[in-house]
Amino acid sequence: WAQHEAGRGEDPAALLDAAAADAARAVEIGPDASAAWFRKGSIAVDRGLRAMNRLEDPTPPFEEAIRDLGRALELSPSYTDAWRSRGVARLNLGLYRLLRGEDPEPVYGPAERDFAQVVKLDAGSGRARLLLGHLHFNRGLWCLRRGPAEASFVEAARAYAEALEARDAPSEAALWLGHAHLQTTEMYTR
């Protein structure tokens, strides 16, 4: 949404700030409305992704997203989009930690559980399996620094293959499946 508006000359940061203010107001008006908490958390995810793209610290917006989406899930435990979005916040927070040389596992474990919940609630979700694949792939990259990583890349390949079989199969899953297979192959040729 912000990218669309930016293409029209709007400042995406200002648009995200305005959207965040609107979402905060919606939460004030309806503190028991899971949709309001979901919207607030989703905007925080967007702010975190924007911070990462600008090489800024995305930790505060991702942590805000995790809290807000957690509240949405307290109110509506079967809110699939909230599970997915919270997993995305955690996945990207873990990626940020990985890129800084920090252990991403404290957020990757909970992200994995979030994506597993999406798969449980929506068995045909290729997007959730793709995100699980990304998590395992990133975990493999972290493990390469510390020792054996094969299991993570095998898990990534499995998740990407399952994503390709889903009813809403994301096309990029084929590309990432190839990357996971390549990483596993390279491990055997080293």
Side-chain angles (χ1 to χ4, degrees):
W1 169 74
Q3 290 174 343
H4 169 73
E5 294 299 322
R8 296 184 353 186
E10 302 284 337
D11 175 19
L15 292 169
L16 281 173
D17 289 345
D22 291 343
R25 179 74 178 125
V27 165
E28 284 177 23
I29 293 168
D32 293 331
S34 61
W37 286 102
F38 170 73
R39 180 59 49 212
K40 188 172 181 294
S42 295
I43 292 165
V45 170
D46 288 345
R47 292 172 101 178
L49 293 172
R50 180 166 168 70
M52 284 185 76
N53 289 338
R54 297 172 61 86
L55 303 177
E56 298 168 356
D57 182 1
T59 304
F62 284 144
E63 288 177 346
E64 176 185 347
I66 291 164
R67 280 190 309 273
D68 292 344
L69 293 162
R71 180 66 180 134
L73 290 166
E74 288 173 15
L75 295 166
S76 288
S78 61
Y79 202 151
T80 307
D81 289 336
W83 286 105
R84 184 181 299 109
S85 293
R86 188 171 73 174
V88 167
R90 288 174 166 160
L91 173 65
N92 283 286
L93 181 56
L95 176 59
Y96 176 71
R97 289 179 179 177
L98 173 78
L99 294 173
R100 292 177 47 90
E102 300 169 8
D103 185 0
E105 195 55 37
V107 288
Y108 277 174
E112 184 173 13
R113 290 188 292 278
D114 287 346
F115 295 140
Q117 186 65 23
V118 174
V119 170
K120 181 180 174 185
L121 293 169
D122 182 7
S125 175
R127 177 65 53 196
R129 286 175 172 81
L130 176 73
L131 292 166
L132 269 170
H134 290 341
L135 183 139
H136 289 297
F137 193 90
N138 290 351
R139 201 179 253 159
L141 295 175
W142 173 251
C143 290
L144 281 174
R145 296 179 176 194
R146 307 194 118 34
E150 177 187 1
S152 293
F153 291 119
V154 168
E155 284 299 315
R158 181 177 298 123
Y160 293 137
E162 289 174 359
L164 286 170
E165 294 174 10
R167 66 166 153 52
D168 64 343
S171 59
E172 67 264 32
L175 171 70
W176 284 101
L177 177 59
H179 287 309
H181 284 308
L182 182 62
Q183 284 293 332
T184 304
T185 303
E186 286 181 1
M187 293 174 65
Y188 287 115
T189 59
R190 288 184 189 148

